[in-house]
Amino acid sequence: MDNIFEHIPADLSEEVFQQLAGNDKVQIERIVSKGQSSPESGWYDQAHNEWVMVLKGRAKLCFEDLSEITLGPGDHLDIKAHQKHKVSWTDPDVETIWLAVHYQD
Amino acid sequence: MDNIFEHIPADLSEEVFQQLAGNDKVQIERIVSKGQSSPESGWYDQAHNEWVMVLKGRAKLCFEDLSEITLGPGDHLDIKAHQKHKVSWTDPDVETIWLAVHYQD
């Protein structure tokens, strides 16, 4: 047993990705951010679906139609394969802990 | 977008299972318990893997070797297919909110 709020890396100059469980078809991942956002020029355009939930902190996700949503603890959504998106903001003052489930159709 | 802590059913006389995302191979599910536990006689013996995390409340899981663990917010573990287990206790005073990811090998 492990706790998703514990063992936060001291160095958060880069986002930290850590697989918690899964296999080659499904990956359950913790992401810890602190102030990072996606590169201005780049969109995530993934071949798989990604369900995400914020567990701590705050983040903004932007979509190709330029709509933006703010996620706080407990907020979750399902990002379908090839639904272009980017992380436009994460809280610079506290770590933002995400849970992501990557899964194929 | 939805929030996992919201829209808790008023009637928790039975556990409430709700699929949040997924398909025929992966199911991401919210479970809300309040005082329920598995039947004394029965073990879950599932053909698929189940990753679970408690987000609110408290619960105890028991395994076939009679080891028991207590889960609070953020505690997670991966229960492999055919690893027999049961929920031996959930907090009777507050709702316990679980996230479960059911996935095949």
Side-chain angles (χ1 to χ4, degrees), chain A residues 30-93:
Chain A
R30 180 177 80 169
I31 306 166
V32 184
S33 316
K34 196 172 180 183
Q36 293 91 356
S37 57
S38 307
E40 192 67 34
S41 58
W43 294 93
Y44 287 116
D45 181 3
Q46 300 174 149
H48 60 268
N49 308 295
E50 181 178 1
W51 181 83
V52 291
M53 177 164 60
V54 165
L55 293 165
K56 180 183 176 185
R58 289 196 100 64
K60 293 182 185 183
L61 276 179
C62 182
F63 296 91
E64 201 177 12
D65 65 0
L66 302 183
S67 64
E68 192 177 57
I69 56 171
T70 301
L71 293 93
D75 289 329
H76 61 84
L77 79 162
D78 198 33
I79 303 170
K80 293 296 180 192
H82 299 299
Q83 186 180 358
K84 291 184 187 173
H85 63 284
K86 61 170 78 173
V87 178
S88 47
W89 178 86
T90 58
D91 194 321
D93 296 324

Side-chain angles (χ1 to χ4, degrees), chain B residues 35-87:
Chain B
Q36 292 91 357
S37 57
S38 307
E40 193 67 35
S41 57
W43 294 93
Y44 286 117
D45 181 3
Q46 299 174 147
H48 60 268
N49 307 297
E50 182 177 1
W51 181 84
V52 290
M53 177 165 60
V54 165
L55 294 165
K56 180 183 176 184
R58 286 196 102 66
K60 293 183 184 182
L61 276 179
C62 181
F63 297 91
E64 200 176 16
D65 65 2
L66 301 183
S67 64
E68 191 176 58
I69 56 171
T70 301
L71 295 93
D75 288 331
H76 61 85
L77 78 161
D78 198 34
I79 303 170
K80 293 295 181 192
H82 298 299
Q83 187 180 357
K84 291 183 187 174
H85 63 284
K86 61 170 81 172
V87 178

Side-chain angles (χ1 to χ4, degrees), chain A residues 73-75, chain B residues 2-9 18 30 32 97:
Chain A
D75 289 329
Chain B
D2 210 339
N3 190 289
I4 203 156
F5 300 112
E6 295 179 0
H7 307 299
I8 303 297
Q18 179 185 13
R30 179 176 82 170
V32 184
I97 300 177

